[in-house]
Amino acid sequence: MGDFVPELIFFGFTLGVDLIICGCLNKAINTTNNLIRDLKCSPQISIDEEMQIRIQKHPSCVSDEATNTLTIPYAIIRGDVTPMEKALSSNYATDLMGVIQKVAFTEHKRKLNEKARWVDSKDAIAQYTNETPFSLTGLQPPQYFVFEEPWRSQLEKWSKNLNPTWDSISVIKRPHVEVSNWSFATRIDLDTVFDQFENDGAGKFGKYIMGSIVGDIRKGVQTTEEMLTKGTTLTGIGELVSGPKGVTLQPPSDGRPYYLVKNSLSSLIKEMEGSRAVNRIFLKIFL
């Protein structure tokens, strides 16, 4: 009897852990199922001269006379990133402009833990974010945008141009959707444009010996810069609002995920289906 009680407690504990894990996996699968269904059913709105008319005529459009706006609760758009004002310059990458800039400084160390084992650790020293208002512009240009060369060549020239007078949306004059509150996005795809590690080892042997004694060895500092660069093609998924000042993409009022990703819609759905398949495999393991 004395041996039976601990075994029973252990069995109950492991069963409880299994139930918690299965519950979490099942919730993740159901959430992914709902999201995939929403993405497949949500309207895809082209960014062109007929965009506002198309929003107005869509069956899911909600009209608000008080604000004089038309809203599609969950819609999908795809376009090129375009600054609304002056673009940001990269601090480290040459001739690179964008609308979002994240810079982080991370200290890498080796520390002696409670079990007298050396383990690697990272501590954030400092980080900052810069941004400028931006929009997604139509992938297909209006006729007046075609000059002496194909329009894509003109866009490539624009995306690499460092002249501040070229930054504004008014320069390329294409239909656009302003992106609001990007920081609330469930996922936003930024490019790592700079990643450098400065080693502290060279010429600092004394500090290394002292660090070994106190159990805290500084290895170096890593500097990274991420940007959303001008001209990047993004898929935006969220609440689409058409008003007197134009069209805006913003976080959904109903709490559904807000996406600003490089994936096409079909690629994003396949990615989610892959994640769901993995969760189903783990669920079968724990059942």
Side-chain angles (χ1 to χ4, degrees), residues 3 22 31 35 50 72 100 105 125 127 137 139 173 192 208 219 229-230 236 249 261 280 285:
D3 293 335
C22 289
T31 299
L35 183 53
E50 305 297 322
I72 297 181
I100 299 172
F105 303 94
I125 300 174
Q127 57 186 5
T137 54
L139 296 173
K173 297 180 180 177
T192 300
Y208 181 85
K219 297 169 66 177
T229 55
K230 195 166 67 167
L249 182 73
V261 296
R280 282 175 173 171
I285 293 173

Side-chain angles (χ1 to χ4, degrees), residues 9-27:
I9 293 173
F10 178 75
F11 176 76
F13 174 75
T14 54
L15 179 62
V17 171
D18 284 348
L19 288 174
I20 291 172
I21 294 174
C22 289
C24 292
L25 289 171
N26 189 62
K27 183 179 179 180

Side-chain angles (χ1 to χ4, degrees), residues 15-268:
L15 179 62
V17 171
D18 284 348
L19 288 174
I20 291 172
I21 294 174
C22 289
C24 292
L25 289 171
N26 189 62
K27 183 179 179 180
I29 291 169
N30 289 335
T31 299
T32 305
N33 284 337
N34 293 336
L35 183 53
I36 290 173
R37 184 182 65 249
D38 283 344
L39 292 178
K40 289 182 176 180
C41 296
S42 296
Q44 300 182 52
I45 305 297
S46 299
I47 304 176
D48 55 28
E49 292 88 343
E50 305 297 322
M51 174 174 51
Q52 289 182 295
I53 298 175
R54 199 175 294 113
I55 292 172
Q56 182 181 9
K57 292 183 177 180
H58 196 273
S60 65
C61 178
V62 178
S63 176
D64 187 341
E65 295 183 359
T67 58
N68 194 23
T69 57
L70 302 169
T71 302
I72 297 181
Y74 210 53
I76 301 158
I77 61 173
R78 188 165 173 82
D80 298 322
V81 172
T82 307
M84 303 289 286
E85 299 174 3
K86 183 179 178 180
L88 304 171
S89 298
S90 168
N91 289 351
Y92 302 97
T94 306
D95 298 342
L96 196 61
M97 308 288 286
V99 295
I100 299 172
Q101 176 192 46
K102 289 186 174 183
V103 178
F105 303 94
T106 305
E107 184 180 46
H108 290 251
K109 294 182 176 182
R110 271 182 80 76
K111 292 184 177 181
L112 203 61
N113 65 11
E114 296 82 359
K115 297 181 180 180
R117 294 180 180 177
W118 288 100
V119 294
D120 292 327
S121 68
K122 295 189 293 184
D123 296 313
I125 300 174
Q127 57 186 5
Y128 62 86
T129 300
N130 294 322
E131 62 180 289
T132 190
F134 69 98
S135 63
L136 297 183
T137 54
L139 296 173
Q140 297 298 326
Q143 293 182 353
Y144 55 75
F145 188 71
V146 181
F147 302 114
E148 297 176 1
E149 299 178 32
W151 75 273
R152 179 57 69 175
S153 297
Q154 294 291 331
L155 180 60
E156 289 173 356
K157 285 183 178 181
W158 167 81
S159 65
K160 296 175 181 178
N161 196 290
L162 303 182
N163 186 340
T165 61
W166 273 52
D167 288 339
S168 172
I169 184 69
S170 63
V171 173
I172 55 174
K173 297 180 180 177
R174 291 157 64 194
H176 65 280
V177 175
E178 183 175 357
V179 177
S180 174
N181 295 321
W182 65 267
S183 59
F184 289 92
T186 305
R187 172 179 155 191
I188 180 169
D189 290 346
L190 304 179
D191 292 319
T192 300
V193 299
F194 184 81
D195 189 349
Q196 180 175 290
F197 179 77
E198 295 183 10
N199 198 321
D200 274 2
K204 298 184 179 180
F205 185 71
K207 287 187 177 180
Y208 181 85
I209 295 298
M210 183 60 67
S212 300
I213 295 172
V214 300
D216 191 342
I217 301 174
R218 176 181 158 116
K219 297 169 66 177
V221 176
Q222 180 183 16
T223 303
T224 58
E225 181 182 30
E226 295 179 295
M227 291 190 74
L228 180 57
T229 55
K230 195 166 67 167
T232 300
T233 301
L234 288 185
T235 299
I237 305 171
E239 187 173 87
L240 201 59
V241 181
S242 174
K245 295 183 179 180
V247 181
T248 301
L249 182 73
Q250 62 189 29
S253 303
D254 56 14
R256 281 184 282 186
Y258 183 32
Y259 289 105
L260 295 167
V261 296
K262 293 182 179 179
N263 307 58
S264 64
L265 177 61
S266 59
S267 174
L268 183 61

